[in-house]
Amino acid sequence: MKRRVAATWPFRPTVRYSTQVASALRTETIGGVVMLLAAVAALVWANTPWEGAYKSLQTFEISPHWLHLGHMDVQHWASSGLLAVFFFIAGLELREELAHGELRNPRDAALPVIAAAAGVAVPALIFLAVSAGAPGASVGWAVPTATDIAFALAVLAVTFTSCPASLRAFLLTLAVVDDLIAITIIALFYTSTLHWVPLLVSVALIAVYGLLQHRGVRSPWVYVPVAVLAWYCLQRSGIHATVAGVALGMLTSPKETPDGRPTNAERADHALRPFSAGVAVPVFAFVSAGVGLGAAQLGAVFTDRVALGVIAGLVIGKFVGVLGGAWTAVRLGLATLGEDLHWHEIAGVALLAGVGFTVSLLIGGLAYTDPSQFERVTTAVLIASVLASAAAAVVFRRRVRLRARPD
């Protein structure tokens, strides 16, 4: 008797399949590839005859009046809502580094922290120098200061297969500190209006979240409403709501339980990292990266001082800042270079730090409200990220060959 074949559509993923997908999304390589594919899809769509549909998607408003959040289109929901999850994960990573990682020992932490600080300052100065004289240019000084964690770690994993653990830890710590500085910059310099009542309520809710974490409460059904309300109140206050994400992430407890169960930080990371890597960041990339790549659009980028300042800041400024900061720290005796690290590898990471992407696009959208200027800045960030990735890949592939040689 012929065996009956079950219908394969509609596709209903099994629990095992869903678990495998979630597990894959917890690796930097897969998360970075998904984000890259989303950005490529946006670029392809934005350069077809259906470009108008893409623009309509970006500006489609989803702002129920009862939320009192003003005019929130798809782009705003992606940057303020979905990226809050991304920054929550960044906050978890920073707390982990402080508790058990490179930042636990001040002397070990000095190298990536000083490199990160210099890697923020030098690109900003180069941007201001290159864009000097362009009307309204200075407001975007922070665009080339950020490093994209997911993208950078994915490039490192793919191009430097024999990467020492200490180098990956250096890049991770550098990027996390970089993101913390970036989110502080957003809170301080990109807040136009401030409403004190919702701000104070948000701060109180964040404090309650921290207190519950300190008391060892474990139920997510307690934390989710508090976190969502804290995000909502901060969004209404005028401060970018991603700040709530990083604050809540840093307050999530990494304290081990007596019975050996996963910590609150581990549980949160396990639950949210696949969503961040598979949904939040790719959706943000998809609705932000779609820019025209025709001759006219590219010509406008390479004649615009602001866009050139972004490219120079990310490609040159990040390299000079990170490598120069690390070298100066070691030279002055403020930090030490680990035995497994080599200056050529630090140089590769310094180049890789020029991959701005997610946070650079976020700051670019806050700095430049004019759509045409923001599109040029977005194109500049994409160009710089590709150049930085390619340059770092060359350095890392050479290091792979050298490490493979017999002594």
Side-chain angles (χ1 to χ4, degrees):
M1 187 174 179
K2 190 179 287 186
R3 186 178 178 183
R4 189 171 179 180
V5 179
T8 58
W9 189 263
F11 173 64
R12 293 192 178 105
T14 63
V15 173
R16 181 181 177 185
Y17 177 83
S18 301
T19 302
Q20 290 173 340
V21 171
S23 178
L25 288 171
R26 291 187 184 97
T27 64
E28 291 90 5
T29 307
I30 300 299
V33 168
V34 173
M35 177 178 63
L36 179 61
L37 291 175
V40 170
L43 286 169
V44 170
W45 190 359
N47 288 275
T48 65
W50 302 280
E51 174 193 3
Y54 178 78
K55 299 296 182 185
S56 298
L57 173 64
Q58 286 180 309
T59 57
F60 181 77
E61 280 199 16
I62 309 173
S63 49
H65 67 278
W66 52 271
L67 283 178
H68 301 291
L69 290 176
H71 298 288
M72 293 278 288
D73 57 23
V74 170
Q75 268 193 312
H76 282 97
W77 277 108
S79 63
S80 297
L82 292 177
L83 278 196
V85 180
F86 168 79
F87 277 105
F88 180 87
I89 298 296
L92 288 177
E93 291 175 333
L94 182 58
R95 179 65 182 268
E96 176 64 22
E97 290 295 318
L98 288 167
H100 305 112
E102 292 288 312
L103 298 179
R104 180 179 57 179
N105 187 324
R107 190 161 181 80
D108 292 338
L111 187 66
V113 169
I114 294 173
V120 169
V122 175
L125 292 174
I126 288 180
F127 171 84
L128 290 173
V130 174
S131 63
S138 60
V139 71
W141 64 271
V143 174
T145 62
T147 298
D148 188 284
I149 297 177
F151 208 150
L153 287 173
V155 173
L156 180 67
V158 170
T159 60
F160 197 0
T161 51
S162 58
C163 171
S166 54
L167 184 67
R168 185 188 178 282
F170 174 81
L171 174 58
L172 178 61
T173 306
L174 171 79
V176 169
V177 174
D178 191 298
D179 273 357
L180 179 62
I181 297 174
I183 206 71
T184 304
I185 289 171
I186 290 171
L188 294 178
F189 298 99
Y190 293 97
T191 300
S192 55
T193 57
L194 188 61
H195 303 289
W196 285 100
V197 172
L199 174 60
L200 293 174
V201 173
S202 180
V203 170
L205 288 166
I206 292 172
V208 169
Y209 180 95
L211 179 62
L212 292 171
Q213 289 285 342
H214 180 71
R215 292 288 181 87
V217 176
R218 292 178 60 82
S219 174
W221 299 108
V222 174
Y223 291 118
V224 171
V226 175
V228 170
L229 285 173
W231 172 89
Y232 170 75
C233 291
L234 199 64
Q235 179 69 20
R236 288 200 60 186
S237 74
I239 296 178
H240 203 269
T242 50
V243 176
V246 76
L248 293 168
M250 290 183 65
L251 288 172
T252 303
S253 175
K255 185 178 179 181
E256 296 181 0
T257 59
D259 54 2
R261 290 183 296 171
T263 66
N264 280 356
E266 289 170 340
R267 295 172 71 205
D269 185 276
H270 185 82
L272 292 177
R273 187 176 291 273
F275 178 80
S276 174
V279 178
V281 175
V283 168
F284 172 77
F286 182 75
V287 299
S288 301
V291 292
L293 296 178
Q297 291 96 329
L298 291 176
V301 170
F302 289 105
T303 56
D304 179 20
R305 287 188 182 181
V306 173
L308 291 174
V310 170
I311 295 174
L314 284 171
V315 177
I316 301 172
K318 275 292 186 181
F319 174 72
V320 173
V322 171
L323 183 60
W327 184 86
T328 302
V330 173
R331 184 76 174 177
L332 296 178
L334 301 174
T336 56
L337 190 67
E339 293 182 1
D340 292 339
L341 294 178
H342 190 280
W343 280 114
H344 285 95
E345 295 167 355
I346 298 294
V349 168
L351 288 167
L352 197 54
V355 178
F357 206 69
T358 305
V359 184
S360 290
L361 293 181
L362 172 62
I363 297 176
L366 296 173
Y368 300 107
T369 55
D370 175 53
S372 59
Q373 183 64 76
F374 176 55
E375 182 162 328
R376 290 193 294 273
V377 167
T378 300
T379 306
V381 170
L382 295 176
I383 291 171
S385 296
V386 170
L387 291 175
S389 298
V394 170
V395 173
F396 289 142
R397 296 310 299 171
R398 183 172 183 273
R399 292 302 300 168
V400 168
R401 290 195 296 271
L402 288 175
R403 281 180 174 270
R405 289 179 183 174
D407 294 333

